[in-house]
Amino acid sequence: MSADDASDDPAESSPADSPHILSEESALDEGEATDDRAGETFHAFWADVVADEIVAREPDEPVVIKGGVSPSGVAHLGNFNEIMRGYFVAEALRDRGHEVRQVFTSDDRDPLRKVPRKLANADGEVVGLGEVDAGVLGRNLGVPYTSIPDPFGESESYAAHFAGLLKADADRLNVPVEMLSNTELYADGDFDEAVRTVLADADCVREVLSEYQDKVDDEYVPFNPVCEACGKVTETVTTVDLDAETVDYVCTDMDAGGNTIEGCGHEGSATFREGKLPWRLEWPAQWDVLGVDFEPFGKDHAEGSWPSGVDIARNVFGEEPPVPMVYEWFTLDGEAFSSSEGNVVTVQELLGLLEPKVLRYFFALHPKKARDLSIERLDQLVDRFDRFERAYFGEVDDPDLTAFAERAYPFVVGRPDDPPTERPVRLPYTFAAVLGMVDDPDFRERLARDEGHIPDDADADAVDAALARVEQARNWAERTGNEYDYRLQPDLPEIEFDDDIAAGLDDLADFVAAGHDGEAIQAEMYETARAHDIEVSDFFAAGYRLFFDDTQGPRLGEFLGELERDYVVDRLRREA
């Protein structure tokens, strides 16, 4: 959601208009059950709470769910919040028999206010400005995104490149969202009536906005033309002609977060289709133009743009605002997502590390809870999804989690009309990372079967699907450089050991052959080294040489406990 003016002093909104009310009605997360309080139905899945509120208004069909974003940098995971929150509500409504239209506006007539540090290419890979034509951005500060060339030289504009990335991500997650361009809506005349309404009663607009923005005075005209001379968005309108649907303007300087974007001084005329409404007016105008019934948005708008939007919708456009829902931001490894600062991760990047279902599950968790997406600890998210999935199939003794899973899981896996009846075979994520140290697919499968993670009766498709997680976990290990970022050598390295180390390896082989687990093997390595008067570090280095042809690696004993026993014994005896 763009927020050109959202930093001004907000006014208090009435409790009935607060977007917090809706999300606080159900404080449910994975760990809370459904109940019935004071005669009201409470749901295990927050999307049903929202659906109730929408249905209570008896909306026309199709029900319109909207989100939006200003294409200011990388199309990152944070931008996807509104798409996924809207999607789950849309699915809950469809499950009740309603026709739903989910739209997502690219607020691409907004001006570029600063050059981002990072961008994403057509494959969703984050790149630095040194890999693109960054000059087209620096030369176009203050220009609408749709008028800025694509720095990658592939799409018709910077805005089109950005919107294309979001649409591709929605397709990857199987979310049927309709992407809309604000520039095209203006050009096609969809905003004509909204602009006329605003400019015809500018005094009313000033009175409403003055409660929310200090800069609104008696000279303020709520329309921003695009200068025909330099192409920048300007804020100085001198006259309005409602009959001709034009404004006269002077291209003056624009404030951009403490920096100044210089205007060219040109005096000209623009039609209603050659400019834009200021953000605080444009947002409620979108509700009116598109007939929006529900819109989720971040907490930054809940106490700024939302209350002013409610006021403007009712007192300027004569319409009721849509059902709102505020969501908490989530962070990336403890830091706020920021396109301009480059602290981002894209959907495409994450789908190289985990299954789409896991990412959809992340967004299915309650939106009022702040969460951190940690790449370093991605295994914990996958483990939580696996438990959530097992709960759906009745394999977890947790009634609250089971209630949440029974309702949400079919939406998470994209099968509300045909819920799964058999639990997929899943490899624990860290075990998949262990298998990622092995290149041989057949060896991977043998190890997985040996550890009991693949049932004997699993068919070929189930096995392939389970083993697909191995490459994702391997990518995760490589990205983070964690303890699983090593490669098991397929052949015995050519290396000679001193007699005392060789004897220690033979004794360790006997210990492993006796059937001990990884933790016991780890402890025995210390005992074996001491028994043969070997430096512990030298003994571990010998083990790493045998298995990785390196002098370091993961916790070796625990790792060996995950491998096929006969294979480990033979390698320790230098026989394979």
Side-chain angles (χ1 to χ4, degrees):
M1 187 64 62
S2 67
D4 292 353
D5 307 306
S7 60
D8 297 282
D9 293 337
E12 292 291 330
S13 59
S14 67
D17 296 331
S18 171
H20 294 281
I21 297 298
L22 192 64
S23 49
E24 285 175 353
E25 284 180 343
S26 175
L28 297 165
D29 199 347
E30 315 92 295
E32 296 188 36
T34 60
D35 61 17
D36 190 270
R37 305 171 200 172
E40 295 183 59
T41 299
F42 283 77
H43 300 283
F45 188 25
W46 58 266
D48 283 313
V49 179
V50 183
D52 282 353
E53 184 76 3
I54 296 169
V55 171
R57 293 192 179 190
E58 300 181 350
D60 295 332
E61 303 224 357
V63 179
V64 178
I65 291 175
K66 190 186 93 66
V69 69
S70 184
S72 57
V74 175
H76 58 73
L77 193 69
N79 300 139
F80 230 69
N81 242 324
E82 286 170 37
I83 291 179
M84 291 306 301
R85 305 302 189 188
Y87 166 75
F88 284 119
V89 175
E91 288 296 279
L93 288 167
R94 291 183 181 115
D95 189 55
R96 302 182 187 195
H98 294 278
E99 182 184 354
V100 182
R101 180 190 182 203
Q102 185 179 358
V103 301
F104 195 78
T105 57
S106 175
D107 299 335
D108 49 23
R109 188 156 275 188
D110 291 359
L112 175 65
R113 293 176 176 269
K114 65 178 179 178
V115 177
R117 295 185 181 183
K118 300 284 185 180
L119 295 172
N121 62 24
D123 295 323
E125 299 168 338
V126 178
V127 300
L129 295 183
E131 301 179 54
V132 300
D133 181 7
V136 301
L137 299 176
R139 292 190 298 271
N140 284 285
L141 290 173
V143 174
Y145 291 106
T146 40
S147 298
I148 300 173
D150 178 11
F152 294 90
E154 298 170 348
S155 300
E156 61 189 53
S157 69
Y158 177 41
H161 174 84
F162 186 95
L165 292 176
L166 281 175
K167 184 61 171 67
D169 287 342
D171 291 343
R172 291 183 183 104
L173 292 179
N174 197 28
V175 175
V177 63
E178 181 183 347
M179 304 297 294
L180 299 177
S181 162
N182 258 5
T183 296
E184 292 180 5
L185 291 173
Y186 278 108
D188 292 343
D190 294 84
F191 277 108
D192 282 358
E193 189 59 35
V195 174
R196 169 179 284 277
T197 298
V198 166
L199 295 180
D201 198 357
D203 287 339
C204 174
V205 172
R206 294 186 192 108
E207 182 179 353
V208 172
L209 280 183
S210 64
E211 297 293 322
Y212 305 92
Q213 292 182 279
D214 293 336
K215 71 178 182 180
V216 175
D217 55 24
D218 292 341
E219 304 300 318
Y220 176 76
V221 179
F223 188 72
N224 303 143
V226 176
C227 178
E228 61 186 347
C230 68
K232 295 177 183 177
V233 175
T234 186
E235 299 175 341
T236 305
V237 174
T238 55
T239 59
V240 176
D241 188 333
L242 292 175
D243 293 332
E245 296 189 338
T246 61
V247 299
D248 295 331
Y249 64 87
V250 178
C251 184
T252 55
D253 296 349
M254 178 196 307
D255 177 68
N259 298 317
T260 299
I261 298 175
E262 294 183 356
C264 70
H266 175 73
E267 299 182 14
S269 178
T271 70
F272 289 179
R273 301 183 183 187
E274 295 171 337
K276 70 182 297 292
L277 292 168
W279 162 244
R280 284 184 185 265
L281 290 159
E282 187 173 74
W283 194 19
Q286 288 175 339
W287 301 338
D288 188 29
V289 168
L290 299 172
V292 179
D293 296 298
F294 166 66
E295 180 159 8
F297 46 86
K299 64 180 183 179
D300 53 331
H301 293 296
E303 297 170 350
S305 304
W306 170 254
S308 66
V310 170
D311 207 341
I312 290 163
R314 290 174 176 161
N315 296 303
V316 176
F317 295 115
E319 299 284 347
E320 276 300 300
V323 170
M325 186 193 74
V326 67
Y327 56 78
E328 274 283 349
W329 295 327
F330 54 83
T331 52
L332 177 63
D333 287 317
E335 301 291 334
F337 275 80
S338 173
S339 294
S340 58
E341 298 301 321
N343 188 49
V344 294
V345 65
T346 67
V347 169
Q348 178 73 336
E349 284 181 302
L350 279 175
L351 293 183
L353 308 178
L354 44 71
E355 297 98 332
K357 295 178 180 63
V358 180
L359 188 51
R360 287 163 63 105
Y361 161 77
F362 180 76
F363 284 108
L365 301 176
H366 200 281
K368 272 294 288 179
K369 302 251 184 198
R371 303 181 191 281
D372 182 57
L373 180 69
S374 172
I375 304 299
E376 295 281 346
R377 301 190 303 275
L378 207 60
D379 56 313
Q380 296 178 13
L381 173 62
V382 180
D383 289 347
R384 289 180 69 193
F385 166 79
D386 289 350
R387 186 168 186 265
F388 164 77
E389 185 172 64
R390 292 195 304 273
Y392 174 78
F393 290 98
E395 300 174 12
V396 176
D397 185 16
D398 185 334
D400 299 339
L401 175 60
T402 299
F404 171 60
E406 285 178 346
R407 179 56 176 161
Y409 179 77
F411 297 115
V412 167
V413 298
R415 293 177 58 181
D417 297 330
D418 179 29
T421 56
E422 294 185 10
R423 182 170 67 84
V425 178
R426 302 283 187 201
L427 303 182
Y429 194 71
T430 51
F431 179 75
V434 170
L435 298 189
M437 300 182 194
V438 179
D439 288 320
D440 183 351
D442 293 335
F443 191 26
R444 289 178 178 177
E445 183 176 342
R446 288 203 311 274
L447 291 176
R449 288 185 181 278
D450 186 58
E451 290 296 315
H453 294 306
I454 296 180
D456 293 338
D457 60 353
D459 61 32
D461 289 342
V463 173
D464 289 344
L467 290 173
R469 183 174 277 186
V470 175
E471 286 304 317
Q472 295 162 345
R474 179 167 175 161
N475 293 339
W476 169 65
E478 291 176 346
R479 179 178 176 123
T480 60
N482 64 23
E483 60 186 301
Y484 305 101
D485 189 22
Y486 296 94
R487 294 292 171 266
L488 187 66
Q489 295 300 305
D491 300 316
L492 181 67
E494 296 182 5
I495 185 170
E496 295 291 334
F497 295 111
D498 293 341
D499 291 344
D500 52 354
I501 289 181
L505 292 171
D506 289 337
D507 286 352
L508 184 62
D510 294 339
F511 185 83
V512 173
H516 296 285
D517 63 15
E519 187 175 342
I521 296 171
Q522 180 77 8
E524 182 64 18
M525 291 190 70
Y526 288 91
E527 295 300 323
T528 301
R530 297 187 186 101
H532 289 269
D533 198 22
I534 306 168
E535 289 289 337
V536 171
S537 59
D538 290 342
F539 191 53
F540 273 87
Y544 289 130
R545 279 293 182 197
L546 275 179
F547 290 92
F548 301 104
D549 199 16
D550 202 341
T551 57
Q552 60 184 5
R555 287 177 59 85
L556 188 57
E558 294 178 7
F559 171 72
L560 298 182
E562 299 279 7
L563 299 180
E564 195 174 46
R565 186 180 306 147
D566 290 345
Y567 167 82
V568 174
V569 170
D570 289 345
R571 181 62 63 97
L572 288 172
R573 290 172 176 163
R574 286 85 67 210
E575 295 176 355

